[in-house]
């Protein structure tokens, strides 16, 4: 049955539905999360389905207009491949970005996809949104990168995201075939690794403040439990805030994450961490350990209460991720090798753990000092 497609009709489609427009050969089908517009026609006597694009990227009317051009081209014997290439070459980066994020985003972790979307919206599209994809040059990218010199880490990340988008566009035919990725040889800024470790005194102040916050109910129990667990386990922020009770193995003293940044990952629980989990309030209707403000959700904003706690504990320049660094530094200062620390933190690559190499000298210096003291004591004996 054919009918004139409208936005409301497409919005109500269920998985597996196909709707046909009153423009013969133009339709939309739902085979995934987003309905896709297409045309059905014959080219050189063979039936062909030609994808137009996703609902949301195209409005119904935009898709209908493109379908009309494709159907006319097919009827007149035009080269459809050339016609589609011309259509794609007219794409601006603002047109391409949502297609890229929708299709390539399925390969990214949810948190990474959020960061990509924010970077495109706030930084990349204001600079390149109106530019045709084929017209972006290496010089354009280099000037864009230099303009972000005050924030080198952000500048490098923006070029990496744009480069990923351009590579994807080239591989998927959204540019002319001979286009080279303009981001590939742009020199990046040198980034200095920022390492901050809490001292023993700072750790004491942090836990004293957490106890006071609990007593005053100045923050939820989930907030203080999350912060304690971050320091005690060395886990990543997202691994604790999205932790489900089903992942916790009290018998073995382990957390078994089915999907972390580096894949399936075990997290070892010391006695202090187990004690926190055993006494943490548990909602039978919420699968998450660190509960959010809305029913059945996990906590999504730990930074705001963290800054409040840092202020009360007189901690300056400390990020939540620095609790992970502190966990690693404590392990090394207690004699753990870099290999063991890498296993403890779940690093996929040894070079990631290498940032802690300078800390590995601390136990050696302490051991050397003990040897020196022992020799001095022997020398003093009559």
């Amino acid at each position: 049955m054919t009918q004139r497609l409208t936005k409301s009709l497409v919005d109500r489609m269920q998985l597996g539905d196909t709707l046909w427009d009153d423009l013969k050969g133009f339709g939309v089908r739902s085979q995934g999360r987003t309905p896709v517009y297409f045309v059905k026609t014959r080219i050189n006597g063979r039936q062909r389905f030609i994808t137009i694009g996703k609902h949301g990227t195209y409005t119904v009317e935009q898709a209908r207009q493109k379908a009309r051009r494709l159907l006319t081209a097919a009827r007149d014997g035009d080269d459809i491949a050339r016609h589609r290439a011309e259509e794609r070459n007219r794409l601006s980066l603002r047109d391409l970005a949502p297609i890229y994020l929708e299709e390539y985003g399925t390969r990214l972790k949810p948190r990474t996809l959020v960061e990509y979307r924010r970077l495109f919206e706030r930084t990349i599209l204001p600079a390149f949104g109106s530019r045709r994809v084929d017209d972006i040059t290496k010089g354009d990218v280099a000037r864009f990168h230099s303009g972000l010199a005050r924030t080198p880490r952000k500048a490098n990340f923006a070029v990496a995201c744009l480069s990923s988008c351009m590579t994807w566009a080239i591989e998927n035919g959204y540019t002319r075939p001979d286009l080279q990725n303009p981001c590939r040889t742009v020199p990046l800024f040198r980034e200095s690794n920022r390492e901050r470790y809490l001292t023993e005194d700072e750790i004491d102040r942090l836990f004293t403040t957490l106890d006071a916050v609990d007593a005053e109910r100045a923050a939820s129990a989930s907030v203080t439990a999350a912060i304690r667990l971050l320091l005690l386990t060395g886990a990543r922020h997202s691994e604790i805030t999205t932790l489900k009770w089903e992942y916790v193995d009290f018998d073995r003293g382990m957390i078994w994450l089915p999907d972390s940044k580096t894949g399936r990952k075990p997290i070892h629980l010391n006695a202090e961490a187990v004690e926190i989990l055993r006494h943490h309030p548990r909602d039978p209707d919420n699968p998450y350990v660190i509960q959010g403000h809305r029913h059945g959700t996990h906590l999504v904003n730990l930074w705001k209460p963290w800054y409040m706690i840092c202020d009360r504990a007189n901690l300056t320049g400390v990020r939540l991720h620095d609790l992970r660094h502190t966990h690693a530094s404590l392990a090394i200062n207690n004699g753990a090798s870099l290999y063991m620390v890498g296993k403890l933190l779940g690093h996929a690559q040894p070079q990631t753990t290498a940032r802690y190499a300078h800390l590995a000298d601390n136990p050696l210096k302490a051991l050397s000092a003990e040897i020196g003291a022992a020799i001095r004591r022997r020398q003093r004996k009559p």
Side-chain angles (χ1 to χ4, degrees):
M1 184 180 71
T2 61
Q3 56 189 319
R4 189 165 184 82
L5 294 179
T6 64
K7 182 179 183 300
S8 60
L9 282 174
V10 179
D11 286 340
R12 293 198 299 269
M13 291 182 70
Q14 302 295 316
L15 190 65
D17 288 350
T18 298
L19 300 178
W20 293 95
D21 189 63
D22 53 10
L23 172 63
K24 186 177 179 181
F26 171 48
V28 59
R29 55 191 169 195
S30 178
Q31 296 178 323
R33 290 181 298 176
T34 308
V36 175
Y37 296 106
F38 67 93
V39 293
K40 176 184 175 184
T41 187
R42 286 189 174 274
I43 300 175
N44 298 326
R46 296 179 58 187
Q47 182 172 279
R48 293 280 301 278
F49 285 86
I50 302 174
T51 299
I52 294 174
K54 295 188 176 184
H55 178 57
T57 302
Y58 289 87
T59 66
V60 177
E61 189 54 37
Q62 288 171 339
R64 184 181 290 110
Q65 291 174 3
K66 185 170 181 179
R68 188 174 285 112
R69 291 195 296 270
L70 288 169
L71 291 167
T72 300
R75 185 175 60 248
D76 294 344
D78 288 352
D79 185 344
I80 295 294
R82 178 185 58 77
H83 187 81
R84 293 188 73 200
E86 291 174 354
E87 288 281 329
R88 286 174 170 176
N89 289 344
R90 284 197 287 267
L91 278 178
S92 68
L93 188 64
R94 193 176 305 280
D95 297 325
L96 179 68
I99 305 174
Y100 161 75
L101 291 170
E102 176 70 24
E103 297 188 7
Y104 185 79
T106 58
R107 309 181 195 179
L108 303 174
K109 298 289 183 182
R111 177 67 183 173
T112 305
L113 180 57
V114 169
E115 292 174 356
Y116 270 47
R117 291 187 187 281
R118 182 183 295 117
L119 194 61
F120 267 95
E121 179 183 345
R122 298 182 180 180
T123 305
I124 298 175
L125 292 182
F128 295 109
S130 61
R131 298 286 300 277
R132 279 180 25 169
V133 177
D134 279 2
D135 292 341
I136 298 174
T137 67
K138 177 184 175 181
D140 296 329
V141 179
R143 284 187 290 274
F144 165 72
H145 183 250
S146 297
L148 298 172
R150 297 180 65 179
T151 53
R153 191 178 296 272
K154 177 182 177 181
N156 291 347
F157 185 36
V159 170
C161 288
L162 180 58
S163 179
S164 173
C165 180
M166 294 298 294
T167 296
W168 178 87
I170 294 168
E171 291 175 350
N172 288 273
Y174 285 94
T175 66
R176 65 178 190 270
D178 62 326
L179 185 70
Q180 299 294 313
N181 187 336
C183 306
R184 185 158 294 168
T185 56
V186 172
L188 301 180
F189 295 122
R190 177 177 294 179
E191 299 179 22
S192 57
N193 288 328
R194 179 191 180 282
E195 305 296 350
R196 172 73 160 88
Y197 311 100
L198 272 66
T199 64
E200 292 184 5
D201 179 63
E202 287 176 327
I203 293 173
D204 289 341
R205 296 206 308 269
L206 173 60
F207 276 96
T208 299
T209 301
L210 290 173
D211 290 340
V213 167
D214 280 337
E216 299 168 16
R217 297 187 178 179
S220 71
S222 285
V223 165
T224 54
I227 292 171
R228 288 187 174 98
L229 288 171
L230 286 171
L231 183 56
L232 288 167
T233 64
R236 296 180 177 89
H237 166 263
S238 60
E239 293 170 345
I240 293 299
T241 55
T242 62
L243 177 63
K244 293 183 177 181
W245 286 109
E246 64 185 272
Y247 305 158
V248 181
D249 185 343
F250 284 107
D251 294 334
R252 299 184 183 180
M254 299 287 293
I255 291 174
W256 301 97
L257 298 179
D259 185 27
S260 73
K261 183 178 179 180
T262 54
R264 188 176 185 274
K265 173 184 174 181
I267 295 178
H268 297 268
L269 296 174
N270 46 47
E272 290 75 13
V274 169
E275 189 72 8
I276 289 171
L277 288 168
R278 285 196 184 279
H279 291 89
H280 186 64
R282 185 168 183 171
D283 182 350
D285 296 323
N286 191 335
Y288 295 102
V289 175
I290 307 301
Q291 300 170 23
H293 300 296
R294 286 171 28 184
H295 180 70
T297 64
H298 64 79
L299 187 67
V300 295
N301 185 3
L302 188 54
W303 291 275
K304 186 175 180 179
W306 168 246
Y307 295 141
M308 178 271 291
I309 289 167
C310 284
D311 186 58
R312 291 185 56 162
N314 195 25
L315 299 175
T316 58
V318 183
R319 307 166 302 171
L320 281 168
H321 195 68
D322 293 327
L323 300 180
R324 179 171 166 87
H325 291 323
T326 301
H327 185 87
S329 71
L330 291 172
I332 291 175
N333 287 334
N334 280 276
S337 66
L338 290 179
Y339 173 80
M340 291 176 63
V341 170
K343 289 295 185 182
L344 189 66
L345 298 183
H347 288 161
Q349 301 295 332
Q351 55 265 36
T352 307
T353 318
R355 69 174 64 181
Y356 303 113
H358 64 286
L359 296 177
D361 291 336
N362 295 346
L364 298 178
K365 289 178 181 178
L367 178 60
S368 178
E370 291 177 8
I371 294 172
I375 292 173
R376 282 197 305 273
R377 286 195 296 269
R378 290 181 175 276
Q379 288 176 335
R380 290 171 185 167
K381 287 184 178 181

